[in-house]
Amino acid sequence: MKLPEGIERILIEREVIEKRVLEMAKEIDEYYKDIKEPLIVIGLLRGSFIFMSDLTKEMQTPLVVDFLTASSYGDSMENTEVTIVKDISTHIAGRDVLIIEDIIDTGITLHKIEDILATRNPRTMKICTLLNKPSRRKKEVKIDFNGFDIDDHFVGGMGLDYAQKYRNLPYIGVVKNEK
Ligand code: IMP
Ligand code: MG
């Protein structure tokens, strides 16, 4: 297969991702099997859009979806400002919430989002991510459902971008000249 300009190699093949997403959907269904009200699945935009779609299609748990856009500015933990650019429009008080991320890197974004959403008193709040880069963690995040741990590469595909490119690739590819 010809890789797009800027993608060095495939890190995780499409078939491997598809298989793992199926397993994750089963794991999540099992976890929420006694749920009373629909699960509120919150995707962090834009990166989670493909994973969230693939995952929820395989789930049996009754659910509703909503989306949240966060933005982070800054270059270190001390001066990184995380703000909500587009908020969810669903009331989460007393409800079960599942946050969907594309990748957890330093953990700064998700840590902050969790803090903000926790003030709205959901019954439970769990984290699901397609990818995890544990070597880069600066803020602890408890991941409840994790697709793959990866080494410290900058990757694109399956919703993840580099300068807005590569989001639609059906695999995870390593971006050239990664920093
Ligand atoms: P964190 O606050 O460092 O955990 O930031 C996580 C966010 O950074 C993710 O939701 C992605 O949008 C972005 N990000 C981190 N690593 C990568 C990568 O390798 N490729 C694409 N986006 C990434
Ligand atoms: Mg993101």
Side-chain angles (χ1 to χ4, degrees):
M1 191 188 6
K2 195 176 171 296
L3 298 177
E5 174 86 46
I7 293 290
E8 190 177 281
R9 65 189 166 91
I10 296 181
L11 186 66
I12 311 175
E13 298 279 358
R14 177 178 192 153
E15 294 70 23
V16 176
I17 298 168
E18 285 171 357
K19 191 164 161 273
R20 183 72 189 115
V21 169
L22 259 170
E23 288 171 3
M24 293 175 85
K26 289 211 176 75
E27 265 176 60
I28 296 169
D29 280 342
E30 174 59 27
Y31 184 83
Y32 290 108
K33 63 179 188 302
D34 298 322
I35 200 166
K36 301 277 184 296
E37 280 184 279
L39 177 67
I40 300 176
V41 181
I42 300 177
L44 302 198
L45 292 175
R46 301 172 202 172
S48 71
F49 83 111
I50 292 183
F51 173 50
M52 178 157 160
S53 157
D54 288 356
L55 182 76
T56 53
K57 275 186 289 180
E58 303 299 341
M59 286 172 58
Q60 306 289 319
T61 307
L63 59 86
V64 296
V65 299
D66 206 336
F67 296 94
L68 186 150
T69 308
S71 81
S72 336
Y73 302 93
D75 45 15
S76 71
M77 188 167 53
E78 294 69 35
N79 46 47
T80 296
E81 179 95 14
V82 180
T83 54
I84 293 183
V85 175
K86 183 224 162 273
D87 205 342
I88 51 171
S89 50
T90 311
H91 289 287
I92 63 172
R95 300 287 296 269
D96 295 290
V97 167
L98 181 65
I99 301 176
I100 309 286
E101 250 293 31
D102 52 355
I103 187 166
I104 301 174
D105 184 27
T106 64
I108 293 172
T109 311
L110 203 54
H111 188 88
K112 188 67 200 288
I113 295 301
E114 267 191 294
D115 277 357
I116 297 171
L117 294 181
T119 65
R120 303 178 191 176
N121 303 313
R123 198 179 82 85
T124 64
M125 187 163 54
K126 301 285 167 191
I127 308 288
C128 173
T129 187
L130 177 62
L131 303 176
N132 178 34
K133 274 195 230 177
S135 63
R136 300 242 317 156
R137 198 71 89 251
K138 289 185 181 157
K139 275 274 186 189
E140 201 191 314
V141 171
K142 184 181 176 298
I143 305 176
D144 300 284
F145 306 99
N146 180 28
F148 303 90
D149 278 348
I150 64 169
D151 291 335
D152 186 11
H153 302 294
F154 200 89
V155 293
M158 282 296 295
L160 290 102
D161 73 304
Y162 173 68
Q164 298 306 327
K165 289 183 294 186
Y166 314 126
R167 289 196 195 272
N168 62 318
L169 300 178
Y171 50 80
I172 297 294
V174 176
V175 175
K176 267 183 206 162
N177 303 316
E178 56 184 49
K179 279 198 212 100

